[in-house]
Amino acid sequence: MASLRLFLCFFLFTASSVNIVCSRSLQKDHIALFVFGDSVYDPGNNNYIDTIARANYYPYGETFFKYPTGRFSDGRLIPDFIAEYANLPLIPPYLQPGNHEFTTGVNFASAGAGALSETNQGFVIDLKTQLSYFKKVAKQLRQELGDAEAMAFLSKAVYLINIGSNDYVLPFTSNSTVFQYFSKQQYVGMVIGNLTETIKEIHMEGGRKFGFRNFGSMGCIPLLKALVPGNTGSCFEQVNELAKLHNAALTEALEEMEIKLVQFKYSMHHLNIYLSELTKNPGRFGFKEVNKACCGSGPYRGISSCGGRRGVTEYELCSDPTQYFYFDSSHVSEKANKQIAQLMWSGPPNITGPYNLKAFFQL
């Protein structure tokens, strides 16, 4: 995107020193991408925290980067492709050392994170913490650009958010008793409530254009199919039910914010439509395998053993990830990420709603 238009430096003389204060001005068409979420969007923030939820080892990253970056895929993630389509560089992880330049955006996403602070607490950067990081960035931009130009910059930027799946999967992969105390509707309400509050906080800082995906049949990922007794190929329907409730509640919340929040606009990629078509006709999308992961072990390679670093050392690895929709037990391949990103970028209204992301970057 456009480069910096102007640097102005002012020399401030004090009794004991000379201070240099520089302000920057950006071109009118300058735009940035800010990213929040979980492993679907994490480019490597978890490399810099104490957690087992990392992908900084082989075979992650094997196809595009040729080395592990921390992305849970064989290559690029959705935000990487969106940045490419918008003529931006790869958006770096916020925690990457030496990363202090935010005029093209930054990525706060953390593998394992949820909208609820209790989800994988202590091992991830939860959504509330991601928001606090964004506020620090916004403060720095105001100091560098001045209040008016920082607000213009933040209002023109695009905000990608993908979170919630860990909130819904964790209760069934741990010894959680949460559904003894909350109905499914109440639990989804808490997830959506936290997400909504975060969106409102970003809006208060200047954010206006937001991009989301709804959930497909989460209970059909290899990780959860492997948990179904008898390995019959059936999906984990309790998680699918939560996904449907989430999709309905998220749509309602976004429609309400569109009415109540000044200049609030959103793009919604209907992942459930894409996955439904994919499941019916994988070959149409260029895949041979949509049930089993490329990397992992056990039924459907649904045990999270890819790379042998999470308690299970033995794992299988396919010879060609481009033939697989899923790269590991919970995450899709680079090829799948590219297809989804293309639909988010320029998909028709029945896939993205009134706005696709391409339109956002042109507004």
Side-chain angles (χ1 to χ4, degrees):
M1 295 300 289
S3 59
L4 297 181
R5 183 177 65 202
L6 186 64
F7 264 95
L8 294 177
C9 294
F10 301 92
F11 294 84
L12 301 182
F13 294 88
T14 65
S16 59
S17 65
V18 178
N19 296 313
I20 302 177
V21 179
C22 295
S23 65
R24 298 185 294 177
S25 183
L26 304 177
Q27 290 189 354
K28 286 185 178 181
D29 62 349
H30 189 89
I31 201 165
L33 179 63
F34 293 96
V35 184
F36 302 78
D38 51 28
S39 56
V40 175
Y41 284 178
D42 182 3
N45 277 305
N46 278 22
N47 293 348
Y48 308 106
I49 64 175
D50 184 13
T51 181
I52 63 169
R54 289 180 179 173
N56 57 343
Y57 48 85
Y58 177 84
Y60 292 106
E62 65 172 353
T63 56
F64 179 77
F65 298 99
K66 308 301 182 185
Y67 65 93
T69 64
R71 291 167 171 83
F72 278 83
S73 180
D74 58 302
R76 289 163 290 183
L77 304 179
I78 290 170
D80 299 322
F81 288 107
I82 298 302
E84 176 187 329
Y85 303 153
N87 295 318
L88 290 168
L90 290 176
I91 305 302
Y94 175 75
L95 294 183
Q96 181 175 292
N99 179 30
H100 304 299
E101 173 58 67
F102 303 118
T103 51
T104 57
V106 69
N107 190 320
F108 306 101
S110 169
L116 303 177
S117 297
E118 296 79 8
T119 297
N120 292 317
Q121 191 169 29
F123 299 97
V124 299
I125 310 163
D126 62 57
L127 186 59
K128 185 177 180 181
T129 304
Q130 292 180 37
L131 175 63
S132 72
Y133 290 162
F134 170 69
K135 288 183 175 181
K136 290 180 181 178
V137 169
K139 181 179 180 181
Q140 178 177 322
L141 289 167
R142 287 192 293 270
Q143 292 172 342
E144 293 180 354
L145 302 174
D147 289 345
E149 188 155 0
M151 178 59 78
F153 168 78
L154 292 168
S155 65
K156 196 171 180 61
V158 175
Y159 300 81
L160 284 186
I161 302 177
N162 184 86
I163 204 157
S165 60
N166 291 304
D167 298 304
Y168 300 132
V169 170
L170 187 63
F172 300 102
T173 56
S174 65
N175 294 320
S176 173
T177 59
V178 65
F179 290 116
Q180 293 180 16
Y181 303 98
F182 299 101
S183 69
K184 288 184 173 66
Q185 290 82 358
Q186 289 173 324
Y187 188 73
V188 170
M190 292 189 292
V191 172
I192 295 295
N194 280 17
L195 175 55
T196 301
E197 286 305 309
T198 298
I199 296 167
K200 290 178 179 178
E201 292 276 353
I202 296 171
H203 182 269
M204 288 179 64
E205 295 288 339
R208 296 295 183 264
K209 298 179 288 188
F210 295 81
F212 302 92
R213 307 181 323 154
N214 71 7
F215 290 143
S217 299
M218 290 193 303
C220 299
I221 65 175
L223 172 71
L224 292 176
K225 289 182 76 170
L227 295 179
V228 176
N231 298 321
T232 60
S234 300
C235 300
F236 203 110
E237 291 303 331
Q238 288 175 287
V239 176
N240 282 346
E241 183 182 348
L242 287 168
K244 290 177 182 177
L245 291 171
H246 175 93
N247 289 348
L250 177 59
T251 297
E252 183 179 349
L254 293 174
E255 289 175 348
E256 183 177 344
M257 284 187 285
E258 189 175 34
I259 295 170
K260 293 184 177 180
L261 300 182
V262 175
Q263 297 179 329
F264 176 87
K265 298 178 178 67
Y266 71 92
S267 173
M268 170 66 81
H269 173 240
H270 293 278
L271 182 66
N272 55 336
I273 296 176
Y274 166 76
L275 290 179
S276 176
E277 295 298 318
L278 173 78
T279 303
K280 293 175 187 174
N281 189 359
R284 174 188 163 198
F285 297 86
F287 295 106
K288 290 185 178 179
E289 178 58 70
V290 296
N291 293 300
K292 184 167 66 174
C294 168
C295 186
S297 57
Y300 313 103
R301 293 182 184 148
I303 295 175
S304 300
S305 59
C306 185
R309 299 283 189 92
R310 297 190 203 103
V312 179
T313 57
E314 299 295 325
Y315 67 95
E316 299 173 281
L317 179 64
C318 71
S319 60
D320 185 2
T322 66
Q323 299 299 312
Y324 285 72
F325 179 74
Y326 292 102
F327 181 68
D328 71 8
S329 62
S330 306
H331 308 96
V332 303
S333 62
E334 179 187 72
K335 182 177 177 179
N337 278 324
K338 184 175 184 178
Q339 288 187 8
I340 296 167
Q342 287 173 334
L343 289 169
M344 293 174 70
W345 178 255
S346 58
N350 68 316
I351 293 292
T352 62
Y355 296 97
N356 56 38
L357 293 178
K358 182 178 181 180
F360 272 171
F361 280 93
Q362 293 174 340
L363 287 176

